[in-house]
Amino acid sequence: MRYEPPFVPEDLVVGLRKALGDPRWRVRASAAEAAGKLDAKDVLPELKKLLEDTDGFVVKQALQSLQALGGAPEAAQLAKLAQRLTTLRGDAVEMMVRSPSDDTVKVVTQLYDASGPSERAAILNAFGRKRGHGDVADMLEQWRETQKRSSGSGEGEDAKANEDPWKPLLARAVKEAEPSVRRAAAAALASRPPPTMVELVGALLSDADRDAQDTAAGLVIALTPTETETKTNKMLATPAMVSGWHETLRKQLGGKPSVNVAMAAYVTGDGVR
C-alpha cells in the first residue's frame, strides 16, 4: 500500500505560518516542532527561513522538522548555520552526511579544517552512533546482499557504487594527533561501507587511546572472513590484510588488552569466527 501523507487543513497551515513568524521564541519553536509532526510540507519555506533565527533552540527544532519532512536545506545554508551556531554544528553536519554530494562533502571538509579538536570530534560524531561488532556484522551482511543484487551491473558501475565520498576525510581523522578525534573517527568508521572500514581500520589497532583501539578491534572481529568465506573466496578483507591486523594486535597483548582486542587477535590468527 502506498503511503499517503496526512491531509493538513488550510486553516491549520495558515495558523502554523503565523506562529512560525511569532515574536516569541517559544511559539516559533513549538510551531516548528508541530510542522514536522503534522507532515506540513506547505510550510517548508517558513521552516528554512527559521534557520536564520536568533534563537538556537528554534533553529534546532526547524532543522529536525526539515529533516522529517524531507526538506533538507542547501549545503551552503547548512554551512552558514554551522559557522554561526557552533552548538548545532553536529546537527547541520549530520544532515549533510545523510545526503552526500560534491557540495556537502566540500562544505563538511572545510568545516573540519577550520575547527579545533572538540569541534572536529563533534563533526565526526555526526556520522553515527558507536556500534558493537554484532551491529557491524549485520551491516556487513546487508552490504553483501546488496552486492549480490547489483552484481549484474558492469564492473565500472560496481566500483563507482562502492566509492565512499567521506573516505578521504576519515582517512585523515584516524591519524589525528588528538585522541578524542581518533576516538570519534573510530566510531564514525563503524557507520561507513565495509570497504572503507577494511581500508582504514588498521591505523587504529595500535592506537594509544584504548577506546579508539577497542572500537577498531570490534570492527576487525566483524570484518575478518569466516571459514566459509575463505573457502568460497568471498572475502572483503584479503589474507594479507588479516595477517597485518593480527601482527599489530598480537603486539597489544602484552599489557591488559580489552576483550575486543584479545578476541580480534584470536580470530585474525588461528581462531575461526
Side-chain angles (χ1 to χ4, degrees):
M1 180 180 292
R2 189 176 66 177
Y3 169 73
E4 292 291 344
F7 172 72
V8 183
E10 181 61 29
D11 58 343
L12 183 53
V13 172
V14 172
L16 280 173
R17 285 194 175 118
K18 183 178 179 180
L20 289 169
D22 194 278
R24 294 164 293 183
W25 71 266
R26 291 183 185 276
V27 176
R28 297 195 303 277
S30 297
E33 181 182 10
K37 291 181 177 179
L38 293 170
D39 202 18
K41 290 183 170 60
D42 289 334
V43 298
L44 280 173
E46 288 78 8
L47 285 171
K48 288 183 178 180
K49 187 176 179 180
L50 280 186
L51 295 183
E52 299 177 5
D53 200 281
T54 56
D55 187 272
F57 186 70
V58 173
V59 176
K60 185 177 180 67
Q61 291 297 329
L63 265 181
Q64 291 176 344
S65 288
L66 284 169
Q67 186 168 311
L69 295 171
E74 296 293 327
Q77 189 175 15
L78 286 170
K80 185 178 178 181
L81 184 155
Q83 291 167 342
R84 182 171 66 90
L85 297 171
T86 55
T87 55
L88 293 180
R89 183 166 293 178
D91 297 85
V93 171
E94 183 177 354
M95 188 171 282
M96 288 189 274
V97 167
R98 292 187 178 186
S99 303
S101 66
D102 291 343
D103 285 342
T104 54
V105 172
K106 181 180 178 180
V107 166
V108 171
T109 302
Q110 289 174 341
L111 284 172
Y112 184 89
D113 290 340
S115 299
S118 60
E119 290 83 7
R120 289 187 175 188
I123 288 172
L124 294 168
N125 286 333
F127 280 80
R129 66 180 177 83
K130 182 176 179 180
R131 300 169 184 263
H133 56 79
D135 296 322
V136 176
D138 290 340
M139 181 195 295
L140 184 57
E141 186 60 33
Q142 292 173 6
W143 181 84
R144 287 183 175 127
E145 289 299 319
T146 301
Q147 295 307 298
K148 287 179 183 178
R149 290 195 296 270
S150 63
S151 60
S153 59
E155 183 177 345
E157 293 180 2
D158 283 345
K160 185 176 181 180
N162 287 334
E163 291 177 0
D164 182 359
W166 302 109
K167 186 170 71 174
L169 177 61
L170 292 174
R172 293 170 50 197
V174 297
K175 297 179 181 179
E176 287 275 12
E178 175 60 41
S180 63
V181 178
R182 299 196 307 276
R183 199 179 307 137
L189 195 57
S191 69
R192 305 315 306 152
T196 299
M197 296 186 207
V198 167
E199 188 170 337
L200 302 182
V201 70
L204 294 165
L205 293 177
S206 59
D207 202 293
D209 184 84
R210 284 181 62 87
D211 287 340
Q213 184 189 71
D214 184 76
T215 299
L219 297 182
V220 164
I221 293 170
L223 293 168
T224 299
T226 63
E227 187 174 24
T228 300
E229 289 166 349
T230 302
K231 289 179 179 179
T232 57
N233 200 31
K234 293 182 177 180
M235 298 175 292
L236 187 59
T238 66
M241 285 179 176
V242 175
S243 177
W245 293 343
H246 177 69
E247 284 303 309
T248 301
L249 289 161
R250 188 174 58 81
K251 295 175 183 177
Q252 314 306 311
L253 299 178
K256 293 183 178 180
S258 69
V259 173
N260 270 355
V261 169
M263 186 181 299
Y266 174 73
V267 300
T268 54
D270 297 329
V272 177
R273 185 169 69 81

